[in-house]
Amino acid sequence: MIETKDLILDKAKSSDWKEMYYNVWSQPESARYMVWNITTNEEDAKIRIEKTIAFQK
């Protein structure tokens, strides 16, 4: 984990799917300059967080 006064960076956890979905993955503005597409439903977000966790290992 990396923590500063304004930011906390940590590895993903299964419980993070909802915040990531609603605040980042479902927002077209977030994906505009990225190499990923938006996630359009909660079930896909749950799968995406598990893939992210696997990638981080």
Side-chain angles (χ1 to χ4, degrees):
M1 178 188 326
I2 299 171
E3 187 171 346
T4 70
K5 174 176 81 73
D6 299 312
L7 179 67
I8 298 173
L9 295 175
D10 201 359
K11 289 188 175 185
K13 301 179 290 298
S14 294
S15 60
D16 292 337
W17 76 266
K18 196 169 198 172
E19 289 80 12
M20 289 299 296
Y21 173 63
Y22 286 105
N23 295 311
V24 181
W25 293 338
S26 66
Q27 304 300 316
E29 305 84 37
S30 297
R32 186 173 185 175
Y33 301 105
M34 304 302 284
V35 295
W36 48 266
N37 296 318
I38 62 169
T39 301
T40 57
N41 63 66
E42 291 184 352
E43 201 56 44
D44 286 345
K46 292 174 186 176
I47 294 167
R48 188 170 182 170
I49 198 71
E50 293 306 320
K51 288 181 179 180
T52 299
I53 291 167
F55 176 78
Q56 290 177 342
K57 293 180 180 180

